[in-house]
Amino acid sequence: MAKRGLDKASVIAAAAELANENGLDGLSLKDLANRLEIRSPSLYNHISGLDELKREIMLYGWEQLGDAVVKAAEEHSGYDAIKAMCRAFYRYAAENKGVFGAMLWYNKYADESSMNATAAMFSQLYKTLGEVGISREMSEHLIRTLRSFLEGFSILVNNGAFGHPADISESFELSLDVLVEGMKAAAERGNADE
């Protein structure tokens, strides 16, 4: 019998906490059961195993990140909204290293539920890029550029890979400025082609 008050959502939230504390590779069903004060076999009332748990953490992360990105965009407009979304992404990745590690497996688990987990965020990105005059086709490419930058920068920061003493937040902001200027140039080029 399942522990009273314990449901799948609370299992996933506890697993996300553990992943952030110990890293995704350090996550085990035994440790999760200990955290929840249950016996390991009881976890199977909610998940089928470690692989499903990691998939659920991935979905959990993208849903949380999507909420943060959409909220950031709603508080700004134009290119400031794009910058705010990027900052929200980076902040979430840096504050949730284990969950972010699971999120990188998005395409491994690509299905309808993963598409649903990211739908609001991508919808907001397309909307905001459209508002600054960037076509849907160009947006496809720019979203890949933003994702490459944000995920790559976050991975390097989370793994302590920047050894130079230059301030990392300044590097992030400079990189963001460069990307936004490139977006402006792309929007102008797209308008000139019409």
Side-chain angles (χ1 to χ4, degrees), residues 23 28 48 57 63 72 109 111 160 162 184 188:
S28 74
S48 63
I57 292 170
E63 289 167 358
Y109 298 110
D111 63 12
F162 287 126
K184 290 177 182 176
E188 289 174 16

Side-chain angles (χ1 to χ4, degrees), residues 56-66 92 99 103:
E56 292 295 332
I57 292 170
M58 179 272 295
L59 293 172
Y60 171 89
W62 281 110
E63 289 167 358
Q64 282 198 325
L65 176 61
Y92 184 85
V99 172
M103 292 166 63

Side-chain angles (χ1 to χ4, degrees), residues 36 40 74 87 110 119 132 138 170:
L36 294 168
S40 293
E74 290 171 349
R87 289 183 189 113
V132 297
M138 181 65 76
E170 287 181 27

Side-chain angles (χ1 to χ4, degrees), residues 109-174:
Y109 298 110
D111 63 12
E112 188 175 338
S113 58
S114 60
M115 303 264 292
N116 290 339
T118 58
M121 180 178 63
F122 282 113
S123 177
Q124 184 65 57
L125 275 166
Y126 283 116
K127 177 183 173 196
T128 304
L129 290 167
E131 289 171 353
V132 297
I134 296 174
S135 71
R136 177 75 179 205
E137 183 180 352
M138 181 65 76
S139 293
E140 299 278 347
H141 299 296
L142 292 176
I143 287 173
R144 283 182 177 165
T145 302
L146 285 171
R147 184 176 176 196
S148 299
F149 162 64
L150 291 168
E151 289 187 11
F153 198 95
S154 297
I155 288 168
L156 291 169
V157 168
N158 286 353
N159 288 287
F162 287 126
H164 193 277
D167 185 272
I168 290 173
S169 61
E170 287 181 27
S171 296
F172 180 83
E173 289 298 324
L174 175 63

